[in-house]
Amino acid sequence: MNESGTKVVLSGVQPTGDLHIGNYLGAIKKFVKIQSEFDCFFCVVDLHAITVFQDPKVLKKNTLEVAATYLASGIDPNKNIIFNQSSVPCHAELAWILNCVCRVGWLNRMTQFKDKAGKDKENASTGLYIYPNLMAADILIYKATHVPVGSDQKQHLELTRDIAQKFNNDFGCEDFFPLPEPMIDNEISRIMSLKDASKKMSKSEPSDFSRIILTDTADQIRAKIKKAKTADVPMPDTDQEVTKLKEVSNLINIYSSLSDTPRDKIINLYQGKNFSDFKNDLTDILIKNITPIGNEMGKLMNDQSYLVEILKQGSLKAYEKAKKTINEVYDIVGLIR
Ligand code: TRP
């Protein structure tokens, strides 16, 4: 709870192109579900995207596309705040202050930096290194209490709590920043590659057949599921056995999340059969749930001035809240403005 007793939710999606069903099921579908219960901020984190070089024209298009995805998925811009990070300068201002609170040792433990920087760490941008401090700023600038994220972001959220706690202690302002809670429902939200279920579904994997993107047509979805890896044995009859077949287990998770059907019910339905019926039904479920979103995104992308206006209005509303926190922070830290 924040000081006025309401729960405040913030989450962010990076505009790096081609959002896929992993992004949808892991984050955006959850946003849609919780939007009526909480005060929600849904941010397009463009400043995070540029920690890795982005073509400027493509960045603009991708930013609008994330906004279009939020809207097409059913987030109501009148009840929630949809905006892009860079147009509320308080995020970057607070991030600088948090850079001075966070310890080098804390950042050195971040596994996402290690993954993203790869072997050539010396050549990664310094922005990529301090990326988690900007994420902490996104959350703390609105004194958010709950953050819906995929399980891969749990470590960043723990860091945010550590930073908030240290700020509150260092400046003797107990409870100034609430310690935000992750909202991670379960492992089902982690959708893996259709080609190799030991890897997360990702837009950076070379093969298009590893993922289903939200703008895929029915034919593309059909072809991708047809090619998706399963197993050489029929569908087992227990969840324990299915879990060992990683690719099958992943497809069941997709089926389960999209149709809100428990895994064991799906396993019962197809046990002992080969995978063709299962794949046909999964294809139908994907087409039914995903292509309407893709179609709506296409329509919205044809009216870019509308999307720009949505972001502008959202940014103005977000700025009103953020301004209050940054003024308090400047005062607490001893900065004159
Ligand atoms: N780091 C998140 C990701 O890659 C994106 C993000 C940026 C975010 N700021 C955030 C998520 C604030 C939740 C809250 O998915």
Side-chain angles (χ1 to χ4, degrees):
M1 301 280 178
N2 70 357
E3 59 216 355
S4 53
T6 45
K7 290 183 181 169
V8 179
V9 167
L10 178 130
S11 200
V13 171
Q14 291 199 51
T16 42
D18 284 354
L19 291 182
H20 50 69
I21 56 169
N23 304 114
Y24 177 67
L25 293 172
I28 299 164
K29 188 167 181 247
K30 280 189 218 155
F31 302 171
V32 178
K33 226 180 184 165
I34 59 178
Q35 62 174 328
S36 50
E37 279 172 67
F38 306 105
D39 283 346
C40 297
F41 294 81
F42 298 120
C43 188
V44 186
V45 290
D46 46 9
L47 296 175
H48 276 112
I50 61 168
T51 55
V52 174
F53 182 80
Q54 304 291 326
D55 178 319
K57 279 206 190 76
V58 178
L59 178 63
K60 283 187 185 165
K61 176 189 150 270
N62 287 342
T63 300
L64 297 180
E65 199 167 85
V66 177
T69 310
Y70 284 159
L71 297 175
S73 303
I75 295 176
D76 180 346
N78 297 315
K79 298 211 183 93
N80 305 277
I81 300 183
I82 295 178
F83 70 109
N84 61 314
Q85 189 185 29
S86 62
S87 59
V88 181
C90 317
H91 291 236
E93 287 178 280
L94 180 59
W96 178 258
I97 290 168
L98 302 185
N99 286 340
C100 304
V101 174
C102 182
R103 306 290 90 186
V104 169
W106 298 358
L107 286 181
N108 284 344
R109 287 200 289 273
M110 294 299 112
T111 55
Q112 183 169 304
F113 175 75
K114 290 178 197 162
D115 293 345
K116 284 201 175 174
K119 288 206 178 74
D120 194 4
K121 282 198 190 49
E122 296 287 305
N123 198 34
S125 75
T126 45
L128 189 65
Y129 184 62
I130 56 174
Y131 169 122
N133 295 343
L134 178 60
M135 177 163 162
D138 298 338
I139 297 166
L140 298 177
I141 196 79
Y142 302 106
K143 299 189 181 172
T145 56
H146 292 79
V147 184
V149 280
S151 46
D152 62 317
Q153 294 298 314
K154 201 165 163 223
Q155 195 185 32
H156 286 159
L157 213 64
E158 278 157 9
L159 180 82
T160 302
R161 293 167 62 92
D162 290 343
I163 292 173
Q165 181 107 61
K166 182 164 164 57
F167 182 95
N168 292 348
N169 285 343
D170 286 357
F171 294 101
C173 50
E174 207 191 329
D175 297 335
F176 176 71
F177 284 130
L179 306 187
E181 307 273 349
M183 297 171 88
I184 299 172
D185 32 45
N186 49 39
E187 277 301 302
I188 289 194
S189 61
R190 198 172 157 83
I191 301 299
M192 313 307 280
S193 157
L194 302 180
K195 293 191 71 147
D196 173 0
S198 65
K199 289 195 216 144
K200 228 181 97 166
M201 185 174 282
S202 156
K203 51 196 144 206
S204 50
E205 195 174 320
S207 170
D208 283 346
F209 280 86
S210 67
R211 62 189 162 260
I212 289 171
I213 64 169
L214 298 178
T215 50
D216 273 343
T217 61
D219 285 346
Q220 285 167 318
I221 292 175
R222 203 170 285 118
K224 287 179 181 180
I225 292 299
K226 202 166 175 197
K227 261 197 142 182
K229 203 168 156 192
T230 50
D232 303 328
V233 292
M235 179 76 87
D237 55 6
T238 64
D239 203 340
Q240 211 179 4
E241 288 302 308
V242 168
T243 308
K244 290 183 195 155
L245 308 174
K246 292 212 158 20
E247 279 75 20
V248 174
S249 191
N250 184 44
L251 294 177
I252 292 182
N253 281 343
I254 296 172
Y255 188 129
S256 167
S257 305
L258 281 172
S259 64
D260 290 316
T261 315
R263 275 172 64 97
D264 51 357
K265 222 172 149 190
I266 300 168
I267 294 167
N268 272 341
L269 211 55
Y270 301 98
Q271 66 182 34
K273 298 189 189 168
N274 66 25
F275 289 97
S276 61
D277 286 354
F278 170 74
K279 278 191 166 184
N280 285 337
D281 293 348
L282 174 59
T283 302
D284 289 345
I285 288 171
L286 278 161
I287 292 173
K288 183 166 152 256
N289 287 278
I290 300 302
T291 50
I293 297 175
N295 291 342
E296 183 62 20
M297 283 169 66
K299 277 190 213 149
L300 288 164
M301 286 302 280
N302 284 330
D303 188 0
Q304 300 203 351
S305 53
Y306 171 71
L307 294 170
V308 170
E309 192 53 32
I310 291 281
L311 290 175
K312 208 186 242 168
Q313 292 307 324
S315 299
L316 286 172
K317 287 193 263 174
Y319 180 63
E320 283 308 308
K321 311 253 180 187
K323 194 172 63 178
K324 186 164 172 276
T325 309
I326 200 72
N327 285 338
E328 289 169 341
V329 167
Y330 270 52
D331 187 49
I332 288 170
V333 174
L335 302 168
I336 294 173
R337 70 157 49 188

